[in-house]
Amino acid sequence: MILTLKKRSVLPGFGLALGWTLLYLCLMVLIPLSTILIKSASLSWAQFWDAVSSPRALASYRLSFGASLVAALINAVFGLLVAWILVRYRFPFRRIVDGLVDLPFALPTAVAGIVLTTLYSPNGWVGSRLTKVGIKVAYTPLGVMVALTFIGLPFVVRTVQPVLQDLDVGIEEAAHSLGANLWQTFRRVLLPELLPAWITGSTLAFARALGEYGSVVFIAGNMPMRTEITPLLIMTKLDQFDYAGASAIALVFLVASFSLLLLVNVIQRRQSSLPVLG
Amino acid sequence: MATTASPRILTAPRTKPRVRTDPALVRWALIAIGGVFLGLFLLLPLAAVFANAFAKGATAYMAALREPEAASAIRLTLLASAIAVCLNVVFGVAAAWAIARFDFTGKNLLITLIDVPFSVSPVISGMIFVLLFGAQGWFGSWLAARDLKIIFAVPELIPVMQALGGEEEEAAVTLGASGWKTFFRITLPNIKWGLLYGIILCNARAMGEFGAVSVVSGHIRGLTNTMPLYIEILYNDYQFVPAFAIASLLTLLAVVTLVAKSLVEWKTERQAAEHDSVTEEGL
């Protein structure tokens, strides 16, 4: 049966490899995910609506989506800049900086959480200076944004970097010698090439920020209605054994993040179908 | 390959980077802005972990690590992530073999499915396991870790395998080697660096996982506390030095992971270069 599914190959092991992969995915991903649907289905439509549209839930969506969006935008701007200098310029410690960009992937989120809180709290290294100018970061929505910016930082850099590396610098030089200034070269020559990767990276940063829990709970202060993110609200409901309510909110959240993932796939498919320059 | 939702797999392309010669002012201004941003968001937190851990001297630091509760948290973390890593390596190699070596219907769907745990909030995946198994017990804490972590081995392998191509394996099979023999003699040596990095990263993620484990474990002190959970408890008790002492261990692990990544990238680059030159000579 499987043989008709795949194209001919002399290599063995297809059945074993694919079978094991599917089994594991079912056990670890598909069956578990379906429990959310089943649990939510135990609610009536009105109960479901009440759970997902309570004022506290709505406030948490606003904060989660708003802060993630701002963090993704900050990362979009600075990620592009960092990718640019890493690829196009040579400066001391470039390799080390390049490696360091992945730190938010490797650093446990709880560690990131306590360290950012300590830095940005009113008596921390950064926080004490910001307090003097009247900016409060820790325990405000601004703090949530800082944490989300930290954890999303590598995404834009790592998606834009390879595309930028494959772009022929000759095209930019051609544009330059035809009289375009730096901004025009960037805007007319580079941006169209980088745009798909840039959007993909920013969307991934956004999606990652949406689900983030570990680093945010420390810095947010977790006041209901003000600095409570949606994953924390789910956690709170679980602690109160309100499993159905938690599932309902989780379902809304899952649909949102899958839509984002789908969007990324669509963008990437368009990207790969575009003719490649150079 | 349709890139997965995990950008860390994007190893640097092998073409030589092209250096630009913009006006020095523009160049250094951009480098300065990027440097300040990265310094503020990456370097400063990294330094702060160790500064806080050693705030009361090395004796306080060592004392924090010798606490029996710290020791039990470290033990559980090591055990749980070892189990998770083993399971995920087997899955990772199987999935990478199926995806990188064969064309089949539904391949893109499979790739998307593998990415799912990456895009699901850790709290939600933790909750799923609570719903599934009901009990919040010590059984759960390693269970949650392994659900997520797999995924980090796979994406690392697929590009490596694709880059190397299937010719060597095809040659071996054509010459009469059995499937397993081909795998152990040809494939495994070829992917060993990618696999090694996958394992290290997978391990770092498993040991550092917080959200999912936090939901599942039920926070029983000295029994189901992993290192990140123990950090949370200490921090909320205002025991900053012990919290940062444990955090510094995990941070060291993160730094080791980053160094390993750089080394592996360098190795695969060299391996690919050798591979290319051999192919060219052969022609």
Side-chain angles (χ1 to χ4, degrees):
Chain A
M1 197 38 218
I2 277 166
L3 284 173
T4 57
L5 284 175
K6 65 157 185 150
K7 291 185 188 147
R8 268 170 190 287
S9 166
V10 297
L11 292 181
F14 175 74
L16 182 66
L18 188 68
W20 177 245
T21 305
L22 289 178
L23 177 73
Y24 198 89
L25 270 179
C26 281
L27 284 178
M28 287 290 146
V29 180
L30 289 183
I31 296 176
L33 268 182
S34 58
T35 56
I36 293 227
L37 266 179
I38 295 166
K39 201 75 196 175
S40 309
S42 70
L43 293 170
S44 76
W45 180 242
Q47 283 171 317
F48 179 81
W49 185 249
D50 275 353
V52 300
S53 69
S54 69
R56 191 170 166 189
L58 288 180
S60 82
Y61 301 147
R62 255 198 305 277
L63 177 66
S64 272
F65 281 90
S68 302
L69 188 68
V70 175
L73 289 178
I74 295 174
N75 277 324
V77 173
F78 285 98
L80 183 66
L81 187 117
V82 169
W84 175 261
I85 60 177
L86 283 177
V87 174
R88 288 292 194 253
Y89 299 145
R90 289 293 167 273
F91 50 92
F93 306 114
R94 196 184 61 93
R95 297 294 303 233
I96 296 176
V97 173
D98 195 9
L100 204 63
V101 166
D102 281 328
L103 182 72
F105 279 143
L107 195 69
T109 52
V111 177
I114 62 168
V115 114
L116 288 175
T117 315
T118 311
L119 280 174
Y120 285 93
S121 71
N123 46 14
W125 290 354
V126 183
S128 58
R129 287 174 182 83
L130 288 176
T131 318
K132 275 182 201 145
V133 267
I135 305 171
K136 232 181 139 243
V137 179
Y139 319 120
T140 67
L142 200 61
V144 179
M145 249 143 52
V146 169
L148 295 181
T149 308
F150 174 81
I151 54 125
L153 197 145
F155 286 88
V156 180
V157 182
R158 289 297 183 235
T159 40
V160 171
Q161 205 177 9
V163 181
L164 201 56
Q165 211 144 34
D166 277 348
L167 273 184
D168 195 344
V169 92
I171 305 172
E172 290 156 47
E173 277 163 4
H176 192 64
S177 62
L178 289 171
N181 63 29
L182 275 177
W183 173 245
Q184 282 171 324
T185 316
F186 174 75
R187 172 79 189 70
R188 299 284 180 82
V189 179
L190 284 170
L191 204 58
E193 289 287 322
L194 294 179
L195 203 58
W198 198 22
I199 295 175
T200 305
S202 313
T203 315
L204 288 175
F206 181 66
R208 174 78 170 79
L210 264 188
E212 177 58 16
Y213 172 77
S215 56
V216 179
V217 283
F218 291 99
I219 205 168
N222 309 327
M223 281 166 281
M225 306 296 297
R226 277 204 61 228
T227 57
E228 186 181 54
I229 53 167
T230 311
L232 182 75
L233 182 62
I234 295 175
M235 193 74 129
T236 315
K237 286 199 178 282
L238 285 177
D239 280 344
Q240 298 160 348
F241 300 102
D242 179 9
Y243 288 167
S247 302
I249 295 175
L251 188 66
V252 172
F253 227 58
L254 277 178
V255 170
S257 46
F258 282 148
S259 314
L260 283 172
L261 206 65
L262 200 68
L263 184 75
V264 170
N265 275 342
V266 171
I267 296 171
Q268 276 179 340
R269 206 151 293 168
R270 276 189 49 193
Q271 180 184 14
S272 53
S273 65
L274 286 176
V276 182
L277 276 181
Chain B
M1 191 191 75
T3 338
T4 54
S6 21
R8 91 201 68 72
I9 57 161
L10 299 172
T11 44
R14 290 187 188 97
T15 44
K16 261 237 171 315
R18 284 97 167 176
V19 182
R20 268 176 67 104
T21 45
D22 286 329
L25 186 69
V26 177
R27 200 165 66 224
W28 287 107
L30 290 179
I31 291 175
I33 298 171
V36 168
F37 176 73
L38 292 180
L40 204 61
F41 273 96
L42 296 181
L43 223 47
L44 193 62
L46 196 59
V49 172
F50 293 99
N52 280 299
F54 287 100
K56 295 207 177 109
T59 9
Y61 178 83
M62 289 314 292
L65 294 186
R66 284 212 198 90
E67 282 284 314
E69 276 183 34
S72 84
I74 293 172
R75 217 175 306 121
L76 177 67
T77 309
L78 288 177
L79 178 73
S81 46
I83 296 169
V85 168
C86 289
L87 283 170
N88 289 335
V89 164
V90 176
F91 167 80
V93 173
W97 179 266
I99 289 170
R101 286 287 177 266
F102 300 98
D103 279 319
F104 52 91
T105 328
K107 186 164 157 174
N108 281 328
L109 184 69
L110 185 67
I111 295 174
T112 314
L113 275 181
I114 290 177
D115 271 341
V116 163
F118 191 76
S119 59
V120 169
S121 171
V123 171
I124 296 183
S125 43
M127 172 182 130
I128 287 168
F129 282 95
V130 173
L131 291 180
L132 259 188
F133 296 97
Q136 300 197 340
W138 67 270
F139 180 68
S141 55
W142 59 263
L143 210 82
R146 78 177 167 178
D147 156 39
L148 299 174
K149 291 333 105 158
I150 165 173
I151 315 309
F152 296 95
V154 191
E156 195 52 41
L157 285 178
I158 296 171
V160 174
M161 276 184 142
Q162 275 176 340
L164 288 168
E167 297 93 346
E168 287 179 42
E169 283 122 359
E170 278 166 20
V173 173
T174 320
L175 291 172
S178 76
W180 287 114
K181 198 170 177 186
T182 314
F183 179 77
F184 282 110
R185 292 286 182 82
I186 310 276
T187 313
L188 210 53
N190 274 341
I191 62 169
K192 61 175 186 272
W193 293 111
L195 185 62
L196 182 69
Y197 172 56
I199 291 172
I200 295 171
L201 187 67
C202 177
N203 181 50
R205 300 293 308 206
M207 286 178 74
E209 178 53 34
F210 176 71
V213 178
S214 172
V215 178
V216 177
S217 89
H219 295 271
I220 304 168
R221 273 197 172 204
L223 189 62
T224 65
N225 262 342
T226 62
M227 287 159 81
L229 297 181
Y230 186 54
I231 291 174
E232 186 194 19
I233 293 175
L234 289 173
Y235 188 83
N236 289 340
D237 281 354
Y238 301 100
Q239 300 188 36
F240 294 128
V241 169
F244 277 102
I246 307 283
S248 73
L249 292 182
L250 288 172
T251 309
L252 273 183
L253 182 73
V255 173
V256 168
T257 310
L258 294 186
V259 172
K261 182 196 149 98
S262 305
L263 283 179
V264 166
E265 261 176 20
W266 181 72
K267 281 273 185 197
T268 28
E269 248 168 73
R270 256 191 18 174
Q271 204 178 34
E274 277 166 21
H275 195 263
D276 286 351
S277 65
V278 168
T279 327
E280 271 159 33
E281 276 166 28
L283 294 171

